[in-house]
mmCIF file with all atom_site columns, all heavy atoms in Angstrom:
data_model
loop_
_atom_site.group_PDB
_atom_site.id
_atom_site.type_symbol
_atom_site.label_atom_id
_atom_site.label_alt_id
_atom_site.label_comp_id
_atom_site.label_asym_id
_atom_site.label_entity_id
_atom_site.label_seq_id
_atom_site.pdbx_PDB_ins_code
_atom_site.Cartn_x
_atom_site.Cartn_y
_atom_site.Cartn_z
_atom_site.occupancy
_atom_site.B_iso_or_equiv
_atom_site.pdbx_formal_charge
_atom_site.auth_seq_id
_atom_site.auth_comp_id
_atom_site.auth_asym_id
_atom_site.auth_atom_id
_atom_site.pdbx_PDB_model_num
ATOM 1   N N   . PRO A 1 297 ? 200.076 -100.185 213.723 1.00 0.00 ? 297 PRO A N   1
ATOM 2   C CA  . PRO A 1 297 ? 200.180 -100.226 212.277 1.00 0.00 ? 297 PRO A CA  1
ATOM 3   C C   . PRO A 1 297 ? 198.992 -99.613  211.539 1.00 0.00 ? 297 PRO A C   1
ATOM 4   O O   . PRO A 1 297 ? 197.968 -99.490  212.218 1.00 0.00 ? 297 PRO A O   1
ATOM 5   C CB  . PRO A 1 297 ? 200.287 -101.705 211.943 1.00 0.00 ? 297 PRO A CB  1
ATOM 6   C CG  . PRO A 1 297 ? 199.623 -102.355 213.102 1.00 0.00 ? 297 PRO A CG  1
ATOM 7   C CD  . PRO A 1 297 ? 199.835 -101.481 214.356 1.00 0.00 ? 297 PRO A CD  1
ATOM 8   N N   . GLU A 1 298 ? 199.187 -99.192  210.293 1.00 0.00 ? 298 GLU A N   1
ATOM 9   C CA  . GLU A 1 298 ? 198.124 -98.581  209.597 1.00 0.00 ? 298 GLU A CA  1
ATOM 10  C C   . GLU A 1 298 ? 197.135 -99.729  209.304 1.00 0.00 ? 298 GLU A C   1
ATOM 11  O O   . GLU A 1 298 ? 197.490 -100.866 209.185 1.00 0.00 ? 298 GLU A O   1
ATOM 12  C CB  . GLU A 1 298 ? 198.592 -97.981  208.279 1.00 0.00 ? 298 GLU A CB  1
ATOM 13  C CG  . GLU A 1 298 ? 199.313 -96.795  208.422 1.00 0.00 ? 298 GLU A CG  1
ATOM 14  C CD  . GLU A 1 298 ? 199.781 -96.138  207.093 1.00 0.00 ? 298 GLU A CD  1
ATOM 15  O OE1 . GLU A 1 298 ? 199.183 -96.551  206.071 1.00 0.00 ? 298 GLU A OE1 1
ATOM 16  O OE2 . GLU A 1 298 ? 200.628 -95.215  207.070 1.00 0.00 ? 298 GLU A OE2 1
ATOM 17  N N   . GLY A 1 299 ? 195.901 -99.343  209.127 1.00 0.00 ? 299 GLY A N   1
ATOM 18  C CA  . GLY A 1 299 ? 194.771 -100.356 208.948 1.00 0.00 ? 299 GLY A CA  1
ATOM 19  C C   . GLY A 1 299 ? 194.605 -101.086 210.240 1.00 0.00 ? 299 GLY A C   1
ATOM 20  O O   . GLY A 1 299 ? 194.830 -100.618 211.349 1.00 0.00 ? 299 GLY A O   1
ATOM 21  N N   . ASP A 1 300 ? 194.060 -102.375 210.164 1.00 0.00 ? 300 ASP A N   1
ATOM 22  C CA  . ASP A 1 300 ? 193.695 -103.043 211.404 1.00 0.00 ? 300 ASP A CA  1
ATOM 23  C C   . ASP A 1 300 ? 194.904 -103.814 211.874 1.00 0.00 ? 300 ASP A C   1
ATOM 24  O O   . ASP A 1 300 ? 195.696 -104.416 211.087 1.00 0.00 ? 300 ASP A O   1
ATOM 25  C CB  . ASP A 1 300 ? 192.557 -104.110 211.116 1.00 0.00 ? 300 ASP A CB  1
ATOM 26  C CG  . ASP A 1 300 ? 192.037 -104.647 212.363 1.00 0.00 ? 300 ASP A CG  1
ATOM 27  O OD1 . ASP A 1 300 ? 192.630 -105.618 212.889 1.00 0.00 ? 300 ASP A OD1 1
ATOM 28  O OD2 . ASP A 1 300 ? 191.070 -104.081 212.951 1.00 0.00 ? 300 ASP A OD2 1
ATOM 29  N N   . ALA A 1 301 ? 195.079 -103.947 213.186 1.00 0.00 ? 301 ALA A N   1
ATOM 30  C CA  . ALA A 1 301 ? 196.289 -104.552 213.747 1.00 0.00 ? 301 ALA A CA  1
ATOM 31  C C   . ALA A 1 301 ? 196.254 -106.007 213.647 1.00 0.00 ? 301 ALA A C   1
ATOM 32  O O   . ALA A 1 301 ? 197.312 -106.690 213.792 1.00 0.00 ? 301 ALA A O   1
ATOM 33  C CB  . ALA A 1 301 ? 196.310 -104.178 215.270 1.00 0.00 ? 301 ALA A CB  1
ATOM 34  N N   . PHE A 1 302 ? 195.161 -106.699 213.306 1.00 0.00 ? 302 PHE A N   1
ATOM 35  C CA  . PHE A 1 302 ? 195.116 -108.147 213.110 1.00 0.00 ? 302 PHE A CA  1
ATOM 36  C C   . PHE A 1 302 ? 194.426 -108.544 211.943 1.00 0.00 ? 302 PHE A C   1
ATOM 37  O O   . PHE A 1 302 ? 193.745 -109.558 211.836 1.00 0.00 ? 302 PHE A O   1
ATOM 38  C CB  . PHE A 1 302 ? 194.416 -108.738 214.406 1.00 0.00 ? 302 PHE A CB  1
ATOM 39  C CG  . PHE A 1 302 ? 194.926 -110.164 214.577 1.00 0.00 ? 302 PHE A CG  1
ATOM 40  C CD1 . PHE A 1 302 ? 195.924 -110.475 215.481 1.00 0.00 ? 302 PHE A CD1 1
ATOM 41  C CD2 . PHE A 1 302 ? 194.332 -111.205 213.980 1.00 0.00 ? 302 PHE A CD2 1
ATOM 42  C CE1 . PHE A 1 302 ? 196.362 -111.757 215.653 1.00 0.00 ? 302 PHE A CE1 1
ATOM 43  C CE2 . PHE A 1 302 ? 194.757 -112.547 214.195 1.00 0.00 ? 302 PHE A CE2 1
ATOM 44  C CZ  . PHE A 1 302 ? 195.714 -112.855 215.043 1.00 0.00 ? 302 PHE A CZ  1
ATOM 45  N N   . ALA A 1 303 ? 194.533 -107.734 210.911 1.00 0.00 ? 303 ALA A N   1
ATOM 46  C CA  . ALA A 1 303 ? 193.883 -108.078 209.567 1.00 0.00 ? 303 ALA A CA  1
ATOM 47  C C   . ALA A 1 303 ? 192.395 -108.430 209.747 1.00 0.00 ? 303 ALA A C   1
ATOM 48  O O   . ALA A 1 303 ? 192.037 -109.477 209.327 1.00 0.00 ? 303 ALA A O   1
ATOM 49  C CB  . ALA A 1 303 ? 194.659 -109.129 208.919 1.00 0.00 ? 303 ALA A CB  1
ATOM 50  N N   . GLU A 1 304 ? 191.625 -107.530 210.344 1.00 0.00 ? 304 GLU A N   1
ATOM 51  C CA  . GLU A 1 304 ? 190.307 -107.849 210.667 1.00 0.00 ? 304 GLU A CA  1
ATOM 52  C C   . GLU A 1 304 ? 189.485 -108.167 209.422 1.00 0.00 ? 304 GLU A C   1
ATOM 53  O O   . GLU A 1 304 ? 188.673 -109.005 209.296 1.00 0.00 ? 304 GLU A O   1
ATOM 54  C CB  . GLU A 1 304 ? 189.597 -106.728 211.444 1.00 0.00 ? 304 GLU A CB  1
ATOM 55  C CG  . GLU A 1 304 ? 188.202 -106.866 211.752 1.00 0.00 ? 304 GLU A CG  1
ATOM 56  C CD  . GLU A 1 304 ? 187.729 -105.665 212.496 1.00 0.00 ? 304 GLU A CD  1
ATOM 57  O OE1 . GLU A 1 304 ? 188.271 -105.319 213.561 1.00 0.00 ? 304 GLU A OE1 1
ATOM 58  O OE2 . GLU A 1 304 ? 186.765 -105.058 212.145 1.00 0.00 ? 304 GLU A OE2 1
ATOM 59  N N   . THR A 1 305 ? 189.849 -107.334 208.360 1.00 0.00 ? 305 THR A N   1
ATOM 60  C CA  . THR A 1 305 ? 189.212 -107.556 207.034 1.00 0.00 ? 305 THR A CA  1
ATOM 61  C C   . THR A 1 305 ? 190.381 -107.479 206.041 1.00 0.00 ? 305 THR A C   1
ATOM 62  O O   . THR A 1 305 ? 191.332 -106.879 206.313 1.00 0.00 ? 305 THR A O   1
ATOM 63  C CB  . THR A 1 305 ? 188.059 -106.526 206.751 1.00 0.00 ? 305 THR A CB  1
ATOM 64  O OG1 . THR A 1 305 ? 188.723 -105.229 206.929 1.00 0.00 ? 305 THR A OG1 1
ATOM 65  C CG2 . THR A 1 305 ? 186.922 -106.672 207.733 1.00 0.00 ? 305 THR A CG2 1
ATOM 66  N N   . PRO A 1 306 ? 190.103 -108.065 204.813 1.00 0.00 ? 306 PRO A N   1
ATOM 67  C CA  . PRO A 1 306 ? 191.137 -107.871 203.807 1.00 0.00 ? 306 PRO A CA  1
ATOM 68  C C   . PRO A 1 306 ? 191.405 -106.381 203.542 1.00 0.00 ? 306 PRO A C   1
ATOM 69  O O   . PRO A 1 306 ? 190.458 -105.532 203.511 1.00 0.00 ? 306 PRO A O   1
ATOM 70  C CB  . PRO A 1 306 ? 190.587 -108.535 202.562 1.00 0.00 ? 306 PRO A CB  1
ATOM 71  C CG  . PRO A 1 306 ? 189.484 -109.392 203.140 1.00 0.00 ? 306 PRO A CG  1
ATOM 72  C CD  . PRO A 1 306 ? 189.078 -108.756 204.382 1.00 0.00 ? 306 PRO A CD  1
ATOM 73  N N   . THR A 1 307 ? 192.660 -106.043 203.316 1.00 0.00 ? 307 THR A N   1
ATOM 74  C CA  . THR A 1 307 ? 193.057 -104.647 203.065 1.00 0.00 ? 307 THR A CA  1
ATOM 75  C C   . THR A 1 307 ? 192.664 -104.247 201.597 1.00 0.00 ? 307 THR A C   1
ATOM 76  O O   . THR A 1 307 ? 192.508 -103.116 201.264 1.00 0.00 ? 307 THR A O   1
ATOM 77  C CB  . THR A 1 307 ? 194.536 -104.296 203.269 1.00 0.00 ? 307 THR A CB  1
ATOM 78  O OG1 . THR A 1 307 ? 195.286 -105.343 202.539 1.00 0.00 ? 307 THR A OG1 1
ATOM 79  C CG2 . THR A 1 307 ? 194.861 -104.584 204.788 1.00 0.00 ? 307 THR A CG2 1
ATOM 80  N N   . GLU A 1 308 ? 192.688 -105.297 200.673 1.00 0.00 ? 308 GLU A N   1
ATOM 81  C CA  . GLU A 1 308 ? 192.265 -105.069 199.304 1.00 0.00 ? 308 GLU A CA  1
ATOM 82  C C   . GLU A 1 308 ? 191.496 -106.341 198.852 1.00 0.00 ? 308 GLU A C   1
ATOM 83  O O   . GLU A 1 308 ? 191.596 -107.363 199.427 1.00 0.00 ? 308 GLU A O   1
ATOM 84  C CB  . GLU A 1 308 ? 193.454 -104.875 198.435 1.00 0.00 ? 308 GLU A CB  1
ATOM 85  C CG  . GLU A 1 308 ? 194.329 -103.569 198.669 1.00 0.00 ? 308 GLU A CG  1
ATOM 86  C CD  . GLU A 1 308 ? 195.466 -103.503 197.701 1.00 0.00 ? 308 GLU A CD  1
ATOM 87  O OE1 . GLU A 1 308 ? 195.216 -103.713 196.547 1.00 0.00 ? 308 GLU A OE1 1
ATOM 88  O OE2 . GLU A 1 308 ? 196.470 -103.159 198.175 1.00 0.00 ? 308 GLU A OE2 1
ATOM 89  N N   . GLY A 1 309 ? 190.686 -106.027 197.798 1.00 0.00 ? 309 GLY A N   1
ATOM 90  C CA  . GLY A 1 309 ? 190.048 -107.197 197.117 1.00 0.00 ? 309 GLY A CA  1
ATOM 91  C C   . GLY A 1 309 ? 188.594 -107.383 197.685 1.00 0.00 ? 309 GLY A C   1
ATOM 92  O O   . GLY A 1 309 ? 188.158 -106.768 198.611 1.00 0.00 ? 309 GLY A O   1
ATOM 93  N N   . LYS A 1 310 ? 187.927 -108.357 197.027 1.00 0.00 ? 310 LYS A N   1
ATOM 94  C CA  . LYS A 1 310 ? 186.497 -108.653 197.334 1.00 0.00 ? 310 LYS A CA  1
ATOM 95  C C   . LYS A 1 310 ? 186.335 -110.185 197.398 1.00 0.00 ? 310 LYS A C   1
ATOM 96  O O   . LYS A 1 310 ? 187.115 -110.965 196.796 1.00 0.00 ? 310 LYS A O   1
ATOM 97  C CB  . LYS A 1 310 ? 185.643 -108.013 196.293 1.00 0.00 ? 310 LYS A CB  1
ATOM 98  C CG  . LYS A 1 310 ? 185.644 -106.455 196.316 1.00 0.00 ? 310 LYS A CG  1
ATOM 99  C CD  . LYS A 1 310 ? 184.763 -105.863 195.198 1.00 0.00 ? 310 LYS A CD  1
ATOM 100 C CE  . LYS A 1 310 ? 184.898 -104.417 195.124 1.00 0.00 ? 310 LYS A CE  1
ATOM 101 N NZ  . LYS A 1 310 ? 184.034 -103.819 193.955 1.00 0.00 ? 310 LYS A NZ  1
ATOM 102 N N   . ILE A 1 311 ? 185.405 -110.535 198.204 1.00 0.00 ? 311 ILE A N   1
ATOM 103 C CA  . ILE A 1 311 ? 185.026 -111.945 198.288 1.00 0.00 ? 311 ILE A CA  1
ATOM 104 C C   . ILE A 1 311 ? 183.603 -112.025 197.785 1.00 0.00 ? 311 ILE A C   1
ATOM 105 O O   . ILE A 1 311 ? 182.704 -111.381 198.291 1.00 0.00 ? 311 ILE A O   1
ATOM 106 C CB  . ILE A 1 311 ? 185.126 -112.488 199.759 1.00 0.00 ? 311 ILE A CB  1
ATOM 107 C CG1 . ILE A 1 311 ? 186.532 -112.169 200.334 1.00 0.00 ? 311 ILE A CG1 1
ATOM 108 C CG2 . ILE A 1 311 ? 184.788 -113.889 199.819 1.00 0.00 ? 311 ILE A CG2 1
ATOM 109 C CD1 . ILE A 1 311 ? 186.573 -112.435 201.873 1.00 0.00 ? 311 ILE A CD1 1
ATOM 110 N N   . GLY A 1 319 ? 181.930 -110.382 203.174 1.00 0.00 ? 319 GLY A N   1
ATOM 111 C CA  . GLY A 1 319 ? 183.222 -109.939 203.749 1.00 0.00 ? 319 GLY A CA  1
ATOM 112 C C   . GLY A 1 319 ? 182.959 -109.258 205.012 1.00 0.00 ? 319 GLY A C   1
ATOM 113 O O   . GLY A 1 319 ? 181.778 -109.057 205.455 1.00 0.00 ? 319 GLY A O   1
ATOM 114 N N   . GLY A 1 320 ? 183.992 -108.819 205.773 1.00 0.00 ? 320 GLY A N   1
ATOM 115 C CA  . GLY A 1 320 ? 183.818 -108.152 207.029 1.00 0.00 ? 320 GLY A CA  1
ATOM 116 C C   . GLY A 1 320 ? 183.526 -109.181 208.096 1.00 0.00 ? 320 GLY A C   1
ATOM 117 O O   . GLY A 1 320 ? 183.593 -110.357 207.870 1.00 0.00 ? 320 GLY A O   1
ATOM 118 N N   . GLY A 1 465 ? 201.360 -116.472 201.775 1.00 0.00 ? 465 GLY A N   1
ATOM 119 C CA  . GLY A 1 465 ? 200.170 -115.657 201.658 1.00 0.00 ? 465 GLY A CA  1
ATOM 120 C C   . GLY A 1 465 ? 199.806 -115.293 200.236 1.00 0.00 ? 465 GLY A C   1
ATOM 121 O O   . GLY A 1 465 ? 198.722 -114.576 200.063 1.00 0.00 ? 465 GLY A O   1
#
Side-chain angles (χ1 to χ4, degrees):
E298 290 186 15
D300 192 274
F302 205 92
E304 178 179 303
T305 56
T307 54
E308 291 183 44
K310 297 175 181 179
I311 305 171

